[in-house]
Amino acid sequence: MTYRVSISIFLFVLVLGFTGTAIAQDSMPDMDWQFGTEPIHSQGTDKPADGKLWGIAARKDNVQITFRLEVNDDLSAGRWVGDIRAPEKFYAKFRLMSDDRNQVYFQVENAKAIGPDAQNGQWKDGPGTRSFKSMSFDFNWDQAQKIRGNKTLILNYASADTPDIKKDIHFPLDNFDAKLTDMEAAIRAVPGADKYLLTEIQIKTMPIKNLPPEMQAALSKELDGAAKFLNRSKSDLMKLNFHQVEALIKAERQAKGDAKLAAKRAEHQKIYDQEPNWKDLNVCPKRDVPECGNIGRGGYEFDTMMGKDWDYGKIIGVVWRSEGSIIHIFGGNARMDIDPEIVRAKSAKYYYTLEKDGKIELRPASLIKVR
């Protein structure tokens, strides 16, 4: 069985149940983008901090957006996450507006309602139990770069009670870049934390051996499979980047596919080569074979279902085929792994050799009409 190799980007996911700090409250004033950092107490505020988060947030019309990075104490695991918080249950989508006022959707993944007023990512029925409601979504450093340089982040917002009534909440991005720069500097100031600032392009273009140890560990099994598939050492592949490994796998897969296709075509050709040269088998002229008198005439057959003649071409010879002998080989598709079909004579009889459009085929002489 051919080993299937897939190289993908591994993002660090911290499975400690981080929920972040509740910042948004009822009737709070608007806030431009601000940067902050906090300790994380995943076991409760009465327990020692076991992680840290860096975040930037803005608030408008009582709705707050936060983008943050959460890591555990030894930096071995962490995650980027975004959330929206409002006093009511809500639905929301993002758009970005550039300086020239062009707008594009800003796609986020795995958006879901969270907290005591949510279940399985959806809002529970009935009144809320907290002063704010939260929706989280996946976020990463690449997406942060997409926000940079735009004029406005637009939140298309609707209350869960009136989902058809939507409004756009505009979050200006005038100081977003500055606060994101502050956040980046604070993260880089912690030895080892800068691995969470790698972009997808950086991850894919640096040698795998230079990736953070956690990434190398996550890739280990796939690299084992790739090394086996490519018949190369794992250490050699570690010197390459994602793109180079993917290119090697693609080339090897293509080479193996081409070799398999060539072998199948050779098998099919052996089958086609079994078909005789019908011109060489022509028994005419022969006085005791009356069919020989029809050479040079046209052969056809009337199709009662269609109500018309089927023209089979010009009769160029007559051949005798014994029971079980080949009378036709057709079909076959090496690329789709469909073998040619061999048609054999069910009984011994004469066949006309007919030629049409340069193609020669046999038809039972007893069934063919001539003109």
Side-chain angles (χ1 to χ4, degrees):
M1 181 173 67
T2 303
Y3 181 83
R4 299 185 65 185
V5 184
S6 63
I7 295 294
S8 57
I9 296 297
F10 283 77
L11 300 179
F12 302 105
V13 178
L14 182 59
V15 193
L16 295 180
F18 291 152
T19 58
T21 301
I23 303 173
Q25 301 292 337
D26 288 336
S27 303
M28 295 189 71
D30 290 353
M31 176 183 74
D32 205 353
W33 293 99
Q34 299 294 324
F35 160 66
T37 180
E38 298 176 7
I40 294 175
H41 301 266
S42 64
Q43 305 301 318
T45 55
D46 58 330
K47 303 291 184 181
D50 52 11
K52 184 175 184 177
L53 72 80
W54 298 267
I56 57 174
R59 191 184 308 112
K60 187 76 177 293
D61 297 349
N62 237 17
V63 177
Q64 180 170 304
I65 299 174
T66 305
F67 303 116
R68 63 183 183 272
L69 169 65
E70 303 171 343
V71 298
N72 62 3
D73 265 348
D74 64 3
L75 302 177
S76 62
R79 67 170 183 173
W80 282 95
V81 65
D83 68 42
I84 308 167
R85 304 181 185 192
E88 61 184 346
K89 300 172 187 174
F90 63 92
Y91 302 108
K93 292 182 179 179
F94 286 114
R95 299 196 309 276
L96 283 171
M97 185 169 68
S98 62
D99 287 336
D100 56 8
R101 306 192 70 81
N102 287 327
Q103 295 186 24
V104 295
Y105 280 103
F106 182 65
Q107 186 69 37
V108 297
E109 303 292 339
N110 299 320
K112 57 186 177 182
I114 58 173
D117 294 316
Q119 185 174 17
N120 298 324
Q122 304 295 322
W123 296 118
K124 294 179 181 177
D125 294 331
T129 61
R130 297 184 68 175
S131 60
F132 69 91
K133 318 298 183 289
S134 297
M135 180 179 291
S136 73
F137 51 88
D138 291 347
F139 191 72
N140 58 51
W141 189 239
D142 282 277
Q143 288 176 300
Q145 310 314 304
K146 291 179 181 178
I147 298 175
R148 270 177 160 157
N150 283 280
K151 182 178 182 62
T152 309
L153 179 64
I154 302 172
L155 188 68
N156 186 241
Y157 178 95
S159 168
D161 294 330
T162 55
D164 294 331
I165 302 176
K166 300 179 174 65
K167 66 177 180 179
D168 283 344
I169 304 176
H170 289 238
F171 288 80
L173 296 171
D174 297 334
N175 75 331
F176 180 87
D177 184 75
K179 296 304 177 183
L180 190 65
T181 299
D182 290 343
M183 181 178 176
E184 179 180 358
I187 294 171
R188 292 190 186 279
V190 177
D194 58 349
K195 63 190 174 187
Y196 294 106
L197 299 175
L198 291 172
T199 64
E200 182 175 341
I201 291 176
Q202 289 173 321
I203 291 171
K204 284 192 170 185
T205 55
M206 71 168 57
I208 295 173
K209 66 182 180 66
N210 292 346
L211 290 172
E214 296 85 358
M215 273 194 178
Q216 293 185 37
L219 283 170
S220 181
K221 187 174 181 180
E222 287 207 52
L223 283 174
D224 286 337
K228 182 177 181 181
F229 179 74
L230 296 169
N231 194 28
R232 297 181 62 160
S233 70
K234 185 176 179 179
S235 59
D236 280 346
L237 296 185
M238 294 283 287
K239 300 173 185 176
L240 307 177
N241 61 41
F242 277 96
H243 289 311
Q244 291 169 325
V245 173
E246 286 175 336
L248 287 175
I249 291 170
K250 182 179 179 180
E252 181 67 13
R253 194 174 281 144
Q254 181 69 46
K256 289 184 176 181
D258 290 346
K260 182 179 179 181
L261 183 60
K264 179 58 68 174
R265 283 174 173 162
E267 290 178 13
H268 285 189
Q269 191 58 51
K270 289 181 181 179
I271 296 174
Y272 296 135
D273 289 344
Q274 296 179 50
E275 188 171 49
N277 185 321
W278 302 120
K279 291 182 179 180
D280 291 345
L281 295 182
N282 180 28
V283 299
C284 301
K286 198 173 183 181
R287 290 183 179 181
D288 59 346
V289 179
E291 289 83 359
C292 287
N294 292 324
I295 290 180
R297 301 173 67 183
Y300 71 97
E301 187 176 0
F302 181 75
D303 189 322
T304 55
M305 291 287 291
M306 301 296 292
K308 66 176 183 179
D309 292 341
W310 284 106
D311 178 23
Y312 292 129
K314 180 181 178 181
I315 299 171
I316 62 172
V318 179
V319 299
W320 174 259
R321 302 306 288 157
S322 59
E323 181 180 351
S325 61
I326 294 173
I327 56 172
H328 190 40
I329 299 177
F330 71 95
N333 187 312
R335 192 173 295 279
M336 297 181 66
D337 201 19
I338 300 173
D339 291 334
E341 184 175 344
I342 300 176
V343 180
R344 298 181 183 275
K346 295 182 179 179
S347 60
K349 63 179 71 173
Y350 281 111
Y351 287 79
Y352 283 130
T353 305
L354 300 114
E355 184 173 18
K356 184 178 182 181
D357 299 328
K359 182 180 179 181
I360 297 176
E361 62 179 0
L362 265 60
R363 297 283 173 181
S366 59
L367 299 179
I368 298 298
K369 299 181 183 299
V370 296
R371 56 188 168 194

